Amino acid sequence: MSVLVVVECDNGEVKKSSLEVASYGSQVAQMLGTTATAVAVGVATEANLAQLGEQGISKVLYDAEPRLKDFVNGAYTKLIAAAADKEQAQVIVLANSNIGASVGSRLSVRLKASLATNVVELPKANGSSFTVKRGAFSGKAFADVVLSGDRKIIAVKKNSIEALHEAGKTATVEAFSASLTDADFADAPKQVVMQDQAGGILLPEADKVVSGGRGMKGPENWHLIEDLAKALGAATACSKPVSDVDWRPHHEHVGQTGITVSPNLYSACGISGAIQHLAGVNSSKVIVVINKDPEAPFFKAADYGIVGDVFDVLPKLTQAVKELG
Amino acid sequence: MKFLVCISNVPDTTTKITFTPDNKEFNKAGVQFVINPWDEYALTRAIELKEAQGSGTVTVLNVGEADTEPNIRKALAIGADDAIRVNAAPKDAYFVAQQIAAIAKEGAYDVILMGKESIDYNGFQVHGMVGELLGIPTVAPAMKLDMSGSTATLEREIEGGKEIVEVAAPFVASCQQPMCEPRIPNMRGIMTARTKPLKVVEPVGEGARTEVAEYALPPKKQGVKLIPAESAGDLIKLLRNEAKVI
Ligand SMILES: Cc1cc2nc3c(=O)[nH]c(=O)nc-3n(C[C@H](O)[C@H](O)[C@H](O)COP(=O)(O)OP(=O)(O)OC[C@H]3O[C@@H](n4cnc5c(N)ncnc54)[C@H](O)[C@@H]3O)c2cc1C
Ligand SMILES: Cc1cc2nc3c(=O)[nH]c(=O)nc-3n(C[C@H](O)[C@H](O)[C@H](O)COP(=O)(O)OP(=O)(O)OC[C@H]3O[C@@H](n4cnc5c(N)ncnc54)[C@H](O)[C@@H]3O)c2cc1C
């Protein structure tokens, strides 16, 4: 019996969301009186994997098969299922990412496990079942879900769990192979296209987000958003109409029908705060709203606000961040 | 090609969410239900691909009780050829996936399309479960879908980018923007939808694996602290010293 956590790696590094997943898994292991093993996917370095000890992981399994560099649903599922069997994992924890949800849903059928996605808190155990809190109604509510059965899979929402950092602890890294065949790579990508990241910060992984709406008037004004984002080390985002008219790319569209974000800081510039937009951002820890209309609905969901013109306010904010040093 | 498009019946995006007094169920009173917005991409793209191929059928499938039929008819009005409703309350994602897989298998569908996720339960899991139950690939979430013969080329979104994936039918894909411009029903569609076949079948398989014990609303915000535009820079100091987020 053990807990298995799936850590996603990119360019050799463990993703921040996976550090949270590892911390979640090791705390579940402690609750159950067992240990947490990680299985790593993507491109990892042994040194970075060993460092998962800081998140309470005792052992990391890693298959260096080159075709596992990119996401392949079939192969990843088989690899993780094999690791779960080897470790006799009772609980499997993954990130609530596109990779985590794709793999987790297939695994739940293969391993006859109960599955909860979008989970925001550590589980409460009652007998052999778990109760987990998960986001529902696109950020408008939460549901406590009971997972029963011998095996459980939990996909943890980014930024809902604090990552542990126990300095100096290391995990042992073990080579692992799931005897993958060509058939497992049926959905292998022919090509991978990564976004051109201006400031180097990906929206789904970001701690801080600066977002613009129709109040920005046109794509030619986005340097104001980008300058503030750069100064803060934030990612950029936008409202739906902004991406619908191609001022900004679709992957920046947040909201009920875009991506859901829950950063520590969400700054909305020239966005009215429609219910569909709020749904995607209202689990952010701190919300800042800049809008020239004091009646804009977004102010009701905000922690800090400035009633003013974005063209006047944004440069002042960027300047103030630079002065902080 | 036989397309199967799965649609979920969800509260309109403007709905203010409330629960029954015991917090055990979603309060449906006065709520307008719509086709899940992501599923509209799946439906329209299936119709476009069928039209481009010049042959084939588009079947819509919903697991739900009789009150979902207006939205099934709406999907027929948008351009699906026929519909199937599995007569059961959708207990959880696994229960729903079993129904979809059984129908896909029986009808030997080539392409099974869904939305990225339902906007009510936000599972993002039915597609993977259906793919696994049928032993076929799932591409989720897909931003683009083209077909040439029985081979599909898709763009799968991954965090920070996309993968170009090629799979042979049968396969499952979960759809999202910017795949197509979702169609709305026209008058002719609405007229013909009334007489298109809608078959009702009973559920199969095992029960649910999960159960909702209780719902809750997010905690209310304290209220906004306003900073005058003239001294906008003070906001940054507050974010550092008070909120401690920068
Ligand atoms: C089914 C459905 C799904 C949807 N999903 C989403 C979604 O996922 N995400 C989403 O964002 N929207 C979504 N929408 C759209 C949503 O209803 C709103 O239309 C949209 O969020 C409005 O975008 P906006 O705030 O940028 O524009 P507007 O509502 O036009 O607001 C612009 C704001 O900018 C302010 N402003 C103007 N000029 C300035 C200035 N110089 N300085 C400061 N402020 C200024 C105005 O006061 C106004 O408040 C959806 C709608 C539907 C029907
Ligand atoms: C009365 C009621 C009670 C419920 N109780 C529970 C509960 O106790 N526990 C629980 O987990 N869930 C419960 N649900 C949620 C319900 O089971 C969901 O429809 C199901 O879980 C699938 O949603 P999802 O968010 O997981 O799907 P996702 O994986 O997010 O959906 C992806 C896609 O699958 C397709 N799809 C989803 N649902 C259907 C459907 N019903 N018919 C056809 N296609 C569909 C759509 O194309 C959708 O875009 C309840 C729903 C109702 C109406």
Side-chain angles (χ1 to χ4, degrees):
Chain A
M1 182 180 101
S2 74
V3 172
L4 182 71
V5 307
V6 179
V7 298
E8 297 176 24
C9 304
D10 202 8
N11 290 323
E13 305 219 6
V14 178
K15 290 186 188 170
K16 181 172 177 282
S17 48
S18 287
L19 297 178
E20 295 166 5
V21 165
S23 306
Y24 188 105
S26 67
Q27 289 174 80
V28 173
Q30 202 166 37
M31 224 173 81
L32 299 176
T34 179
T35 54
T37 300
V39 53
V41 294
V43 181
T45 65
E46 192 165 332
N48 283 333
L49 293 179
Q51 230 181 337
L52 282 163
E54 296 190 2
Q55 283 74 47
I57 300 297
S58 45
K59 180 170 74 180
V60 185
L61 305 175
Y62 184 54
D63 186 343
E65 150 77 55
R67 287 181 295 177
L68 289 170
K69 178 167 98 46
D70 301 314
F71 174 51
V72 186
N73 202 349
Y76 276 33
T77 306
K78 187 161 169 187
L79 177 81
I80 296 160
D85 281 341
K86 175 179 183 300
E87 297 297 314
Q88 297 185 315
Q90 194 186 3
V91 181
I92 302 171
V93 188
L94 333 89
N96 195 59
S97 58
N98 288 344
I99 294 176
S102 294
V103 171
S105 53
R106 288 196 89 98
L107 275 179
S108 73
V109 172
R110 199 171 298 183
L111 303 178
K112 299 191 172 27
S114 53
L115 167 66
T117 53
N118 214 18
V119 170
V120 297
E121 270 178 16
L122 287 168
K124 293 182 187 71
N126 29 20
S128 68
S129 62
F130 273 13
T131 303
V132 290
K133 193 184 211 71
R134 63 181 299 275
F137 294 95
S138 302
K140 293 179 191 170
F142 295 99
D144 282 343
V145 175
V146 181
L147 299 180
S148 45
D150 296 337
R151 272 185 153 161
K152 299 161 186 87
I153 304 178
I154 297 175
V156 182
K157 185 175 173 191
K158 157 111 184 62
N159 218 14
S160 20
I161 295 290
E162 196 85 40
L164 304 172
H165 286 285
E166 295 178 49
K169 283 178 80 180
T170 55
T172 54
V173 181
E174 212 175 87
F176 176 68
S177 161
S179 328
L180 298 167
T181 64
D182 284 351
D184 300 318
F185 290 90
D187 69 311
K190 298 275 169 267
Q191 196 193 341
V192 180
V193 186
M194 293 315 278
Q195 281 152 26
D196 174 26
Q197 300 162 40
I201 314 242
L202 286 176
L203 182 55
E205 289 279 312
D207 286 330
K208 295 171 220 128
V209 176
V210 181
S211 189
R214 262 204 305 228
M216 292 302 299
K217 303 285 190 286
E220 66 280 7
N221 299 321
W222 237 263
H223 63 277
L224 295 173
I225 299 275
E226 283 165 350
D227 288 348
L228 177 59
K230 201 157 176 210
L232 285 169
T236 55
C238 67
S239 67
K240 180 171 188 285
V242 164
S243 70
D244 283 348
V245 295
D246 282 336
W247 290 0
R248 301 297 294 173
H250 267 287
H251 60 76
E252 283 200 359
H253 151 204
V254 295
Q256 192 157 5
T257 55
I259 62 168
T260 310
V261 294
S262 48
N264 293 330
L265 175 63
Y266 183 80
S267 313
C269 313
I271 304 178
S272 58
I275 189 165
Q276 298 98 343
H277 187 86
L278 294 179
V281 307
N282 65 4
S283 56
S284 308
K285 295 214 168 73
V286 171
I287 294 181
V288 168
V289 170
I290 302 153
N291 197 304
K292 69 175 185 190
D293 174 9
E295 301 297 321
F298 220 142
F299 283 117
K300 290 204 177 67
D303 299 284
Y304 296 96
I306 296 180
V307 179
D309 187 326
V310 283
F311 299 99
D312 163 50
V313 171
L314 280 173
K316 284 187 188 158
L317 295 180
T318 306
Q319 187 56 34
V321 176
K322 287 184 179 155
E323 282 165 10
L324 275 183
Chain B
M1 284 269 145
K2 288 182 74 178
F3 293 90
L4 183 65
V5 178
C6 307
I7 61 165
S8 176
N9 194 56
V10 300
D12 178 272
T13 56
T14 57
T15 308
K16 190 166 180 291
I17 302 297
T18 60
F19 302 105
T20 51
D22 61 0
N23 284 325
K24 291 209 181 298
E25 270 173 63
F26 170 61
N27 182 5
K28 282 191 188 179
V31 171
Q32 169 85 25
F33 281 81
V34 297
I35 299 175
N36 187 38
W38 308 102
D39 305 356
E40 295 184 0
Y41 292 94
L43 176 60
T44 296
R45 192 63 190 139
I47 297 166
E48 288 175 355
L49 289 170
K50 183 195 101 166
E51 287 171 354
Q53 288 169 354
S55 67
T57 54
V58 175
T59 303
V60 285
L61 167 61
N62 170 259
V63 182
E65 293 175 309
D67 58 355
T68 69
E69 288 198 1
N71 280 326
I72 300 179
R73 288 281 171 209
K74 185 175 173 204
L76 291 170
I78 290 170
D81 299 293
D82 61 344
I84 302 171
R85 178 171 69 82
V86 178
N87 185 30
K91 284 184 233 136
D92 76 348
Y94 181 60
F95 175 81
V96 170
Q98 289 177 91
Q99 312 312 319
I100 297 173
I103 286 183
K105 197 167 180 182
E106 193 185 293
Y109 288 92
D110 302 296
V111 179
I112 302 155
L113 298 184
M114 310 184 184
K116 178 193 171 192
E117 70 178 40
S118 76
I119 64 162
D120 48 1
Y121 294 92
N122 306 108
F124 189 27
Q125 48 185 264
V126 170
H127 24 74
M129 291 178 173
V130 171
E132 185 70 19
L133 285 165
L134 294 171
I136 60 178
T138 296
V139 180
M143 302 189 285
K144 203 167 171 209
L145 164 62
D146 289 312
M147 305 263 327
S148 147
S150 63
T151 305
T153 306
L154 301 108
E155 282 184 12
R156 166 163 64 203
E157 183 177 53
I158 50 173
E159 277 74 19
K162 62 188 177 189
E163 293 186 343
I164 318 292
V165 178
E166 227 174 71
V167 291
F171 65 90
V172 179
S174 77
C175 307
Q176 69 169 31
Q177 76 276 20
M179 182 174 279
C180 58
E181 191 55 53
R183 292 187 188 177
I184 50 171
N186 59 27
M187 211 47 205
R188 199 173 146 268
I190 295 168
M191 299 303 285
T192 54
R194 288 191 197 145
T195 52
K196 286 181 178 171
L198 191 172
K199 191 164 84 178
V200 179
V201 301
E202 291 306 314
V204 297
E206 303 162 29
R209 281 187 182 154
T210 62
E211 195 193 334
V212 175
E214 196 176 359
Y215 291 102
L217 294 172
K220 283 234 171 1
K221 285 270 178 192
Q222 299 284 313
V224 59
K225 189 177 237 180
L226 289 177
I227 293 97
E230 304 77 63
S231 45
D234 290 351
L235 170 65
I236 299 302
K237 292 185 196 126
L238 287 168
L239 292 177
R240 163 146 311 171
N241 302 323
E242 187 178 84
K244 299 190 176 22
V245 287
I246 62 173

